[in-house]
Amino acid sequence: MVEQNQMDSFVAWAKRRGVIWPSSEIYGGLSNSYDYGPVGVEMKNRLKAAWWNTMVRQRDDIVGIDSPIILNPKVWEASGHTENFTDPLVEDTVTHKRYRQDQLEDPSKSPDGNPVSEPKNFNLMFKTFIGPVEEDQAVAFLRGETCQGIFINFKNILDTSRQKIPFGVAQIGKSFRNEITPGNLTFRTREFEQMEMEFIVREEDADKWFDYWVEQRLQWYVDLGIEKKNLRLVKHPKKALAHYSKATTDIEYQFPWGWGELEGIANRGNYDLTQHQKFSGKEMAVFDEETKEKYIPWVIEPAGGVDRSLLALLVDAWKNFEKGRKGEGEEETVLAVKSGLAAYDAAVLPLIKKEPLQKMANTLVKKLRAEGKNVFYDESGSIGRRYRRQDEIGTPICYTVDFESLDGKTKGTVTARDRDTMKQIRIKLGEV
Ligand code: ATP
C-alpha cells in the first residue's frame, strides 16, 4: 500500500517500470494526461477482461455491446447532458484560479483563503464538429458516459439477444469530460475509460436489484485482491443525486490522498428510456405478459472506471522496502498483485546468456505461450537484478534454467521462484 509520503516514489516507479507516464512528454506534456506503458497496458487489458468475464461471460442474463464515442447529438439533449451535465465553478477573486465549489471545504473560500465568486455552471461535455465544410459543420459531442449507447440500443438488444427482463447490457469504452479540477495521476482525467452495465428491471424489483448490485460490485473489488479495509460504501444524500438518479451508492477506495470513488451504483429509474422515447418518437415500452400492460422498465447501473480501478489495484499492491525485504540491503519494491492481474504470468530466465541454457529457456517460453500465458523472457544482467525487476512489475513466478537443468539427477528441471516468499524449488520442465 502506497503511504501518503510515498507518492513521489510510486510515480517514479510507475514511470521507470513502464506502467504509467505523463503523455506527450517530448512536447512538454499535456496537463493531466497519461500514457500506459508496456506493463500498464497489459494490466489494464487484464482488468477489463476480468470485469467482462464477471459481468458478461459468466452470466446468462447480461450481454455486451460496443457503441461509438460520437453519437447523434440528440442523444445528449434527451439524456439531459447538454443542459444538466455541469459542475458549479467558482473563481478565487484574488488569484483567479478556478475550483469546483462542491469540492471546497468552505464553499465561500478558495484553498488560498480568498473569497470566491458566485458559482457558474460549467458544462463538462467535449464539443467537436462533424463535416468537411466549416460553415455546414454540425456540432457533436464526445460521449460523457458510455451508457447512453446502451439505452438507445435497448430495442435492438431485445430484438436480437433473446433476453427478457430482468437482463443487463454491458459496455467498456472511453468517455470524455472537460473536468475543471483534474488531478491525482489517473484518478481524474479528461479522457478515461468506463465499465458500465445497465440492468433493466421492473419498477417493483428495482430496490432488490440495487442492493444486489451494490453487494456484487463491492465483492468484485475484494476478489481482485484489494484490501477490504481500504474499501467502503457511501450512500449519496438525496440532494446530491445526479439529475437522472433516484438513489446512488458509491464504492470508494482509500487512496494515499484520501477516499475517492471507484464506482457508482445508481437507480436511474426509467428516466433515460422515457427521455429517449420522448425525443426519438420511438417506443421504449415493453409488454408485460403477466399484467398484459405496457411499461417502460427501470434501470440499475453499476458504473465503474477502468483507470481508477487500476490505480487502486496498483496503489494497494505496491510495497516498498527501503532496506530490502530482509532489512539489510538495497531498496526493493514488490507489486503484490494477484496472479492473472499482473502484466506477465511468468518470466523465463536462462542463468547466463549461453547455449544450451538459452535453447532450453526458449522451449519453455514457447510451451507457456502456446498455453496462452503472457511470458517475459530476459537473458541479460545478474540473476538477482532480473528477479527484482520482475518483483517490481508483479510477475508472480520466475523460471530459471541453470546448470543443474542440464545434468545429473536434476536434468530437465528448472528453478521456480515465488515473488512473495522468494522461495525456490526445482520442478520438471514438463510440469511447469
Ligand atoms: P466524480 O464524482 O469523481 O466526478 P462521477 O460520480 O461523476 O465521478 P460517474 O458519472 O458515476 O462518476 O462515472 C462512473 C465512473 O467513471 C466513476 O466511478 C469513475 O470510476 C469513472 N470516472 C468518472 N469521471 C472520471 C474522470 N474524470 N477520470 C477518471 N475516471 C472517471
Side-chain angles (χ1 to χ4, degrees), residues 236-311:
H236 284 211
K238 273 246 153 22
K239 65 176 181 5
L241 291 175
H243 65 272
Y244 51 76
S245 177
K246 292 201 173 331
T248 300
T249 293
D250 287 342
I251 300 172
E252 292 192 346
Y253 177 78
Q254 188 161 33
F255 285 98
W257 55 87
W259 289 95
E261 174 184 332
L262 294 181
E263 170 158 348
I265 296 100
N267 176 347
R268 295 181 79 119
N270 61 7
Y271 172 81
D272 301 272
L273 291 176
T274 305
Q275 287 292 101
H276 287 305
Q277 173 167 296
K278 196 157 110 195
F279 278 70
S280 69
K282 301 284 181 314
E283 191 178 41
M284 295 291 163
V286 292
F287 184 72
D288 189 328
E289 298 288 347
E290 268 172 44
T291 61
K292 308 286 175 211
E293 276 172 21
K294 279 191 170 174
Y295 70 105
I296 299 184
W298 280 35
V299 175
I300 306 300
E301 171 196 74
V306 178
D307 311 83
R308 283 190 193 177
S309 300
L310 181 57
L311 189 58

Coordinates of all heavy atoms in Angstrom, one line a residue, residues 236-311:
H236 N -25.3 8.3 -1.4 CA -25.5 9.8 -1.7 C -26.7 10.3 -1.0 O -27.7 9.7 -1.0 CB -25.7 10.0 -3.2 CG -24.4 9.9 -4.0 ND1 -24.2 10.6 -5.1 CD2 -23.3 9.1 -3.8 CE1 -23.0 10.3 -5.6 NE2 -22.5 9.4 -4.9
P237 N -26.6 11.5 -0.3 CA -27.8 12.1 0.2 C -28.7 12.5 -0.9 O -28.2 12.8 -2.0 CB -27.3 13.3 1.0 CG -25.9 13.5 0.5 CD -25.4 12.3 -0.1
K238 N -30.0 12.5 -0.7 CA -31.0 12.8 -1.8 C -30.6 14.1 -2.6 O -30.7 14.1 -3.8 CB -32.4 13.0 -1.2 CG -33.1 11.6 -1.1 CD -34.3 11.6 -2.0 CE -34.8 10.3 -2.5 NZ -34.6 9.0 -1.9
K239 N -30.2 15.1 -1.9 CA -30.0 16.4 -2.5 C -28.7 16.4 -3.4 O -28.6 17.3 -4.3 CB -30.0 17.6 -1.5 CG -28.9 17.6 -0.5 CD -29.0 18.9 0.3 CE -28.0 19.1 1.3 NZ -26.8 18.4 1.6
A240 N -27.9 15.5 -3.2 CA -26.6 15.4 -4.0 C -26.7 14.5 -5.2 O -25.8 14.2 -5.9 CB -25.5 15.0 -3.1
L241 N -27.9 13.9 -5.5 CA -28.1 13.0 -6.6 C -27.9 13.6 -7.9 O -28.4 14.8 -8.1 CB -29.4 12.3 -6.5 CG -29.6 11.3 -5.3 CD1 -31.1 10.8 -5.2 CD2 -28.6 10.2 -5.3
A242 N -27.4 12.9 -8.9 CA -27.3 13.4 -10.3 C -28.7 13.5 -10.9 O -29.7 12.9 -10.3 CB -26.5 12.4 -11.1
H243 N -28.8 14.3 -12.0 CA -30.2 14.6 -12.4 C -31.0 13.4 -12.8 O -32.2 13.5 -12.8 CB -30.1 15.6 -13.6 CG -29.4 15.0 -14.9 ND1 -28.1 15.1 -15.1 CD2 -30.0 14.4 -15.9 CE1 -27.8 14.5 -16.2 NE2 -28.9 14.1 -16.8
Y244 N -30.4 12.3 -13.1 CA -31.1 11.1 -13.6 C -31.4 10.1 -12.4 O -32.1 9.1 -12.6 CB -30.3 10.4 -14.7 CG -28.9 10.1 -14.3 CD1 -28.6 9.1 -13.4 CD2 -27.9 10.9 -14.8 CE1 -27.3 8.8 -13.0 CE2 -26.6 10.6 -14.4 CZ -26.3 9.6 -13.5 OH -25.0 9.4 -13.0
S245 N -30.8 10.4 -11.2 CA -30.7 9.3 -10.3 C -31.8 9.3 -9.2 O -32.1 10.4 -8.7 CB -29.4 9.3 -9.6 OG -29.3 8.3 -8.6
K246 N -32.3 8.2 -8.8 CA -33.3 8.1 -7.7 C -32.5 7.6 -6.4 O -33.0 7.9 -5.3 CB -34.3 7.0 -8.0 CG -35.3 7.5 -9.1 CD -36.6 6.7 -9.0 CE -37.7 7.2 -10.0 NZ -37.7 8.5 -10.4
A247 N -31.4 7.0 -6.6 CA -30.6 6.5 -5.4 C -29.2 6.2 -6.0 O -29.1 5.6 -7.1 CB -31.2 5.3 -4.7
T248 N -28.2 6.5 -5.3 CA -26.8 6.2 -5.7 C -26.0 5.8 -4.5 O -26.0 6.4 -3.4 CB -26.1 7.3 -6.4 OG1 -26.9 7.7 -7.6 CG2 -24.7 7.0 -6.9
T249 N -25.2 4.7 -4.6 CA -24.2 4.3 -3.6 C -22.9 4.2 -4.3 O -22.8 3.5 -5.4 CB -24.6 3.0 -2.9 OG1 -25.8 3.2 -2.2 CG2 -23.5 2.5 -2.0
D250 N -21.9 4.8 -3.7 CA -20.5 4.8 -4.3 C -19.7 3.7 -3.6 O -19.8 3.5 -2.4 CB -19.8 6.1 -4.2 CG -20.4 7.2 -5.2 OD1 -21.1 6.8 -6.1 OD2 -20.1 8.3 -4.9
I251 N -18.8 3.1 -4.4 CA -17.8 2.3 -3.8 C -16.5 3.1 -3.8 O -16.1 3.6 -4.9 CB -17.6 1.0 -4.6 CG1 -18.9 0.1 -4.6 CG2 -16.4 0.2 -4.0 CD1 -18.8 -1.1 -5.5
E252 N -16.0 3.4 -2.6 CA -14.8 4.2 -2.5 C -13.6 3.4 -2.1 O -13.7 2.4 -1.4 CB -15.1 5.4 -1.5 CG -16.1 6.3 -2.0 CD -16.2 7.6 -1.2 OE1 -15.6 7.6 0.0 OE2 -16.8 8.6 -1.6
Y253 N -12.4 3.9 -2.5 CA -11.2 3.3 -2.1 C -10.3 4.4 -1.3 O -10.4 5.6 -1.7 CB -10.4 2.9 -3.3 CG -9.0 2.3 -3.0 CD1 -8.9 1.0 -2.4 CD2 -7.9 3.1 -3.1 CE1 -7.7 0.5 -2.1 CE2 -6.6 2.6 -2.8 CZ -6.5 1.3 -2.3 OH -5.3 0.8 -1.9
Q254 N -9.6 3.9 -0.3 CA -8.8 4.9 0.4 C -7.4 5.0 -0.3 O -6.5 4.3 -0.1 CB -8.6 4.3 1.9 CG -7.9 5.4 2.7 CD -8.1 5.1 4.2 OE1 -8.2 3.9 4.6 NE2 -8.2 6.1 5.0
F255 N -7.4 6.1 -1.1 CA -6.2 6.4 -1.8 C -5.2 7.1 -0.9 O -5.7 7.6 0.2 CB -6.5 7.3 -3.0 CG -7.1 6.6 -4.2 CD1 -8.5 6.6 -4.4 CD2 -6.3 5.9 -5.1 CE1 -9.1 5.9 -5.4 CE2 -6.9 5.2 -6.2 CZ -8.3 5.2 -6.4
P256 N -3.9 7.2 -1.2 CA -3.0 7.9 -0.3 C -3.4 9.3 0.0 O -3.1 9.9 1.0 CB -1.7 7.9 -1.1 CG -1.8 6.8 -2.1 CD -3.3 6.6 -2.4
W257 N -4.2 9.9 -0.9 CA -4.6 11.3 -0.7 C -6.0 11.4 -0.1 O -6.6 12.5 0.1 CB -4.6 12.1 -2.0 CG -5.4 11.5 -3.1 CD1 -6.8 11.7 -3.3 CD2 -5.0 10.6 -4.1 NE1 -7.2 10.9 -4.4 CE2 -6.1 10.2 -4.9 CE3 -3.7 10.0 -4.4 CZ2 -5.9 9.4 -5.9 CZ3 -3.6 9.1 -5.4 CH2 -4.7 8.8 -6.2
G258 N -6.6 10.3 0.2 CA -8.0 10.3 0.9 C -8.9 9.3 0.1 O -8.6 8.7 -0.9
W259 N -10.2 9.2 0.6 CA -11.2 8.4 0.0 C -11.6 8.9 -1.4 O -11.8 10.1 -1.5 CB -12.4 8.2 0.9 CG -12.1 7.4 2.1 CD1 -11.8 7.9 3.4 CD2 -12.1 6.0 2.2 NE1 -11.6 6.8 4.2 CE2 -11.8 5.7 3.6 CE3 -12.4 4.9 1.4 CZ2 -11.8 4.4 4.1 CZ3 -12.4 3.6 1.8 CH2 -12.0 3.3 3.2
G260 N -11.7 8.1 -2.4 CA -12.2 8.5 -3.7 C -13.0 7.4 -4.3 O -12.9 6.2 -4.1
E261 N -14.0 7.9 -5.2 CA -15.0 7.0 -5.8 C -14.3 6.1 -6.9 O -13.6 6.6 -7.7 CB -16.1 7.8 -6.5 CG -17.0 7.0 -7.3 CD -18.1 7.8 -8.0 OE1 -18.4 8.9 -7.5 OE2 -18.6 7.4 -9.1
L262 N -14.6 4.8 -6.8 CA -14.2 3.8 -7.8 C -15.3 3.6 -8.8 O -15.1 3.4 -10.0 CB -13.7 2.5 -7.2 CG -12.5 2.4 -6.4 CD1 -12.3 1.0 -5.9 CD2 -11.3 2.9 -7.2
E263 N -16.5 3.5 -8.2 CA -17.7 3.1 -9.0 C -18.9 3.6 -8.3 O -19.0 3.7 -7.1 CB -17.7 1.5 -9.0 CG -19.0 0.9 -9.5 CD -18.8 -0.5 -10.0 OE1 -17.6 -0.9 -10.2 OE2 -19.8 -1.1 -10.3
G264 N -19.9 4.0 -9.1 CA -21.2 4.4 -8.5 C -22.3 3.4 -9.0 O -22.3 3.0 -10.2
I265 N -23.1 3.0 -8.0 CA -24.3 2.1 -8.4 C -25.5 3.0 -8.3 O -25.8 3.6 -7.2 CB -24.4 0.9 -7.5 CG1 -23.2 0.0 -7.8 CG2 -25.6 0.1 -7.9 CD1 -22.1 0.1 -6.8
A266 N -26.2 3.2 -9.4 CA -27.3 4.2 -9.4 C -28.6 3.5 -9.8 O -28.6 2.6 -10.7 CB -27.0 5.3 -10.4
N267 N -29.7 3.9 -9.2 CA -31.0 3.5 -9.6 C -31.5 4.7 -10.5 O -31.8 5.8 -10.1 CB -31.9 3.4 -8.4 CG -33.4 3.1 -8.8 OD1 -33.7 3.2 -10.0 ND2 -34.2 2.7 -7.9
R268 N -31.4 4.5 -11.9 CA -31.7 5.6 -12.8 C -33.2 5.6 -13.1 O -33.6 6.4 -14.0 CB -30.9 5.4 -14.1 CG -29.4 5.5 -13.9 CD -28.6 5.3 -15.2 NE -28.6 6.5 -16.1 CZ -27.5 7.2 -16.4 NH1 -26.4 6.8 -16.0 NH2 -27.7 8.3 -17.2
G269 N -34.0 4.8 -12.4 CA -35.4 4.8 -12.7 C -35.7 4.5 -14.2 O -34.9 3.8 -14.8
N270 N -36.7 5.1 -14.7 CA -36.9 4.9 -16.2 C -36.6 6.3 -16.9 O -37.2 6.5 -18.0 CB -38.2 4.3 -16.6 CG -39.4 5.1 -16.1 OD1 -39.2 6.2 -15.7 ND2 -40.6 4.6 -16.3
Y271 N -35.8 7.1 -16.2 CA -35.5 8.4 -16.8 C -35.0 8.4 -18.2 O -35.5 9.0 -19.1 CB -34.5 9.1 -15.9 CG -34.0 10.4 -16.4 CD1 -34.8 11.6 -16.3 CD2 -32.8 10.5 -17.1 CE1 -34.3 12.8 -16.9 CE2 -32.4 11.7 -17.7 CZ -33.1 12.8 -17.6 OH -32.7 14.0 -18.1
D272 N -33.9 7.6 -18.4 CA -33.3 7.6 -19.7 C -34.2 7.1 -20.9 O -34.3 7.7 -21.9 CB -32.0 6.8 -19.7 CG -31.0 7.4 -18.6 OD1 -30.3 8.3 -18.9 OD2 -31.1 7.0 -17.5
L273 N -34.8 5.9 -20.6 CA -35.6 5.3 -21.7 C -36.8 6.2 -22.0 O -37.2 6.4 -23.1 CB -36.1 3.9 -21.3 CG -34.9 2.9 -21.2 CD1 -35.4 1.5 -20.7 CD2 -34.3 2.7 -22.6
T274 N -37.4 6.8 -20.9 CA -38.5 7.8 -21.1 C -38.1 8.9 -22.0 O -38.8 9.4 -22.9 CB -39.1 8.2 -19.8 OG1 -39.4 7.1 -19.0 CG2 -40.3 9.1 -19.9
Q275 N -36.9 9.5 -21.7 CA -36.4 10.6 -22.4 C -36.2 10.3 -23.9 O -36.5 11.0 -24.8 CB -35.1 11.2 -21.8 CG -35.3 11.9 -20.5 CD -36.0 13.2 -20.7 OE1 -37.2 13.3 -20.4 NE2 -35.3 14.2 -21.1
H276 N -35.6 9.1 -24.1 CA -35.3 8.7 -25.5 C -36.6 8.4 -26.2 O -36.7 8.7 -27.5 CB -34.3 7.5 -25.5 CG -32.9 7.9 -25.1 ND1 -32.2 8.9 -25.8 CD2 -32.1 7.4 -24.2 CE1 -31.1 9.0 -25.2 NE2 -30.9 8.1 -24.2
Q277 N -37.6 7.9 -25.6 CA -38.9 7.7 -26.2 C -39.5 9.1 -26.6 O -39.9 9.2 -27.8 CB -39.8 7.0 -25.3 CG -41.3 6.9 -25.8 CD -42.1 5.9 -25.0 OE1 -41.8 4.7 -25.0 NE2 -43.2 6.4 -24.4
K278 N -39.3 10.0 -25.7 CA -39.9 11.4 -26.0 C -39.1 12.1 -27.2 O -39.7 12.6 -28.1 CB -39.7 12.2 -24.7 CG -40.6 13.5 -24.7 CD -40.8 13.9 -23.2 CE -40.0 15.1 -23.0 NZ -39.9 15.5 -21.5
F279 N -37.8 12.0 -27.1 CA -37.0 12.7 -28.1 C -37.0 12.0 -29.5 O -36.8 12.7 -30.5 CB -35.6 13.0 -27.6 CG -35.6 14.2 -26.7 CD1 -36.1 14.2 -25.4 CD2 -34.9 15.4 -27.1 CE1 -36.1 15.3 -24.6 CE2 -34.9 16.5 -26.2 CZ -35.5 16.4 -25.0
S280 N -37.0 10.7 -29.5 CA -36.9 10.0 -30.8 C -38.2 9.6 -31.4 O -38.3 9.3 -32.6 CB -36.1 8.7 -30.5 OG -36.9 7.8 -29.8
G281 N -39.3 9.6 -30.5 CA -40.6 9.2 -31.0 C -40.7 7.7 -31.2 O -41.7 7.2 -31.7
K282 N -39.6 7.0 -30.8 CA -39.7 5.5 -30.9 C -40.1 4.9 -29.5 O -39.6 5.4 -28.5 CB -38.3 4.9 -31.2 CG -37.7 5.5 -32.6 CD -38.4 4.8 -33.7 CE -37.9 5.2 -35.1 NZ -37.7 6.7 -35.3
E283 N -40.9 3.9 -29.6 CA -41.4 3.4 -28.3 C -40.4 2.6 -27.6 O -39.7 1.8 -28.2 CB -42.7 2.5 -28.6 CG -43.4 2.1 -27.4 CD -44.6 1.3 -27.6 OE1 -44.5 0.4 -28.4 OE2 -45.6 1.5 -26.9
M284 N -40.3 2.9 -26.3 CA -39.3 2.1 -25.5 C -40.0 1.2 -24.5 O -39.4 0.5 -23.7 CB -38.4 3.1 -24.7 CG -37.5 3.9 -25.5 SD -36.2 2.9 -26.3 CE -35.7 4.1 -27.6
A285 N -41.4 1.2 -24.5 CA -42.1 0.4 -23.6 C -42.1 -1.0 -24.0 O -41.9 -1.3 -25.2 CB -43.6 0.9 -23.5
V286 N -42.2 -1.9 -23.0 CA -42.3 -3.4 -23.3 C -43.7 -3.9 -22.8 O -44.3 -3.3 -21.9 CB -41.2 -4.1 -22.7 CG1 -39.8 -3.8 -23.3 CG2 -41.1 -3.9 -21.2
F287 N -44.1 -5.0 -23.3 CA -45.3 -5.6 -22.9 C -45.1 -6.6 -21.8 O -44.3 -7.5 -21.9 CB -45.9 -6.3 -24.2 CG -47.3 -6.9 -23.9 CD1 -48.4 -6.0 -23.8 CD2 -47.5 -8.2 -23.8 CE1 -49.7 -6.5 -23.5 CE2 -48.8 -8.8 -23.5 CZ -49.9 -7.9 -23.4
D288 N -45.9 -6.5 -20.8 CA -45.8 -7.4 -19.6 C -46.8 -8.5 -19.8 O -48.0 -8.3 -19.8 CB -46.1 -6.6 -18.3 CG -45.8 -7.4 -17.1 OD1 -45.9 -8.7 -17.2 OD2 -45.4 -6.8 -16.1
E289 N -46.2 -9.7 -20.0 CA -47.1 -10.9 -20.2 C -48.1 -11.1 -19.0 O -49.2 -11.6 -19.2 CB -46.3 -12.2 -20.4 CG -45.3 -12.1 -21.6 CD -46.0 -12.3 -22.9 OE1 -47.2 -12.6 -22.9 OE2 -45.4 -12.0 -24.0
E290 N -47.6 -10.8 -17.8 CA -48.5 -11.1 -16.6 C -49.6 -10.1 -16.5 O -50.8 -10.5 -16.4 CB -47.6 -11.0 -15.4 CG -47.0 -12.3 -15.0 CD -46.0 -12.1 -13.8 OE1 -46.3 -11.4 -12.9 OE2 -44.9 -12.7 -13.9
T291 N -49.3 -8.8 -16.6 CA -50.4 -7.8 -16.3 C -51.1 -7.4 -17.6 O -52.0 -6.7 -17.6 CB -49.8 -6.5 -15.7 OG1 -48.8 -6.0 -16.6 CG2 -49.1 -6.8 -14.4
K292 N -50.5 -7.9 -18.8 CA -51.0 -7.5 -20.1 C -51.0 -6.0 -20.3 O -51.8 -5.4 -21.0 CB -52.4 -8.0 -20.3 CG -52.6 -9.5 -20.0 CD -52.0 -10.4 -21.1 CE -52.0 -11.9 -20.8 NZ -50.9 -12.6 -21.4
E293 N -50.0 -5.4 -19.7 CA -49.9 -3.9 -19.9 C -48.5 -3.6 -20.4 O -47.5 -4.3 -20.1 CB -50.1 -3.2 -18.5 CG -51.5 -3.0 -18.2 CD -51.7 -2.5 -16.8 OE1 -50.7 -1.9 -16.2 OE2 -52.8 -2.6 -16.3
K294 N -48.4 -2.4 -21.0 CA -47.1 -1.9 -21.4 C -46.4 -1.0 -20.3 O -47.2 -0.3 -19.7 CB -47.2 -1.1 -22.7 CG -47.4 -1.9 -23.9 CD -47.2 -1.1 -25.2 CE -47.1 -1.9 -26.4 NZ -47.1 -1.1 -27.6
Y295 N -45.1 -1.1 -20.2 CA -44.4 -0.2 -19.3 C -43.0 0.0 -19.7 O -42.4 -0.7 -20.5 CB -44.4 -0.9 -17.9 CG -43.5 -2.1 -17.8 CD1 -42.3 -2.0 -17.1 CD2 -43.9 -3.3 -18.3 CE1 -41.5 -3.1 -17.0 CE2 -43.1 -4.4 -18.2 CZ -41.9 -4.3 -17.6 OH -41.0 -5.4 -17.5
I296 N -42.5 1.2 -19.3 CA -41.1 1.5 -19.6 C -40.3 1.0 -18.4 O -40.5 1.5 -17.2 CB -40.9 3.0 -19.8 CG1 -41.7 3.4 -21.0 CG2 -39.4 3.3 -20.0 CD1 -41.5 4.9 -21.4
P297 N -39.4 0.1 -18.6 CA -38.7 -0.5 -17.4 C -37.7 0.4 -16.7 O -37.3 1.5 -17.3 CB -37.9 -1.7 -18.0 CG -37.8 -1.4 -19.5 CD -39.0 -0.5 -19.8
W298 N -37.3 0.0 -15.5 CA -36.3 0.8 -14.7 C -34.9 0.2 -15.0 O -34.7 -0.9 -15.4 CB -36.7 0.7 -13.3 CG -37.8 1.7 -12.9 CD1 -38.8 2.0 -13.7 CD2 -37.9 2.4 -11.7 NE1 -39.6 3.0 -13.1 CE2 -39.1 3.2 -11.9 CE3 -37.2 2.5 -10.5 CZ2 -39.5 4.1 -10.9 CZ3 -37.6 3.4 -9.5 CH2 -38.8 4.1 -9.7
V299 N -33.9 1.0 -14.5 CA -32.5 0.6 -14.8 C -31.7 0.8 -13.5 O -31.7 1.8 -12.9 CB -31.9 1.5 -15.9 CG1 -30.5 1.2 -16.1 CG2 -32.7 1.2 -17.2
I300 N -31.0 -0.3 -13.2 CA -29.9 -0.2 -12.1 C -28.6 -0.3 -12.8 O -28.3 -1.2 -13.6 CB -30.1 -1.4 -11.2 CG1 -31.5 -1.5 -10.6 CG2 -29.0 -1.3 -10.0 CD1 -32.0 -0.3 -9.8
E301 N -27.8 0.7 -12.5 CA -26.5 0.9 -13.2 C -25.3 0.8 -12.3 O -25.1 1.8 -11.5 CB -26.5 2.2 -14.0 CG -25.1 2.5 -14.6 CD -25.0 4.0 -15.0 OE1 -24.9 4.8 -14.1 OE2 -25.1 4.3 -16.2
P302 N -24.4 -0.2 -12.4 CA -23.1 -0.1 -11.8 C -22.1 0.5 -12.8 O -21.9 -0.1 -13.9 CB -22.7 -1.6 -11.5 CG -23.9 -2.4 -11.9 CD -24.7 -1.6 -12.9
A303 N -21.6 1.7 -12.5 CA -20.7 2.4 -13.5 C -19.4 2.6 -12.8 O -19.2 3.3 -11.9 CB -21.3 3.7 -13.8
G304 N -18.4 1.9 -13.4 CA -17.0 1.9 -12.8 C -16.0 2.6 -13.8 O -16.3 2.7 -14.9
G305 N -14.9 2.9 -13.2 CA -13.8 3.5 -14.1 C -12.6 2.5 -14.2 O -12.2 2.0 -13.1
V306 N -12.2 2.3 -15.4 CA -11.1 1.3 -15.6 C -9.8 1.9 -14.9 O -9.1 1.3 -14.2 CB -10.8 1.1 -17.1 CG1 -9.6 0.2 -17.3 CG2 -12.0 0.5 -17.8
D307 N -9.6 3.2 -15.2 CA -8.3 3.9 -14.8 C -8.3 3.9 -13.3 O -7.2 3.7 -12.7 CB -8.2 5.3 -15.4 CG -8.4 5.2 -16.9 OD1 -9.6 5.2 -17.3 OD2 -7.5 5.1 -17.7
R308 N -9.4 4.3 -12.7 CA -9.4 4.4 -11.2 C -9.3 3.0 -10.5 O -8.6 2.9 -9.5 CB -10.7 5.0 -10.7 CG -10.7 6.5 -11.0 CD -11.9 7.1 -10.3 NE -12.1 8.5 -10.7 CZ -13.1 9.3 -10.4 NH1 -14.0 8.9 -9.5 NH2 -13.1 10.5 -10.8
S309 N -9.9 2.0 -11.1 CA -9.7 0.7 -10.5 C -8.3 0.2 -10.6 O -7.8 -0.4 -9.7 CB -10.6 -0.3 -11.2 OG -12.0 0.0 -11.1
L310 N -7.7 0.4 -11.8 CA -6.3 0.0 -12.0 C -5.4 0.8 -11.0 O -4.5 0.2 -10.4 CB -5.9 0.3 -13.4 CG -4.4 -0.2 -13.7 CD1 -4.2 -1.6 -13.4 CD2 -4.1 0.1 -15.2
L311 N -5.7 2.1 -10.8 CA -4.9 2.9 -9.9 C -5.0 2.3 -8.5 O -4.0 2.2 -7.8 CB -5.3 4.3 -10.0 CG -4.4 5.3 -9.2 CD1 -3.0 5.3 -9.7 CD2 -5.0 6.8 -9.4

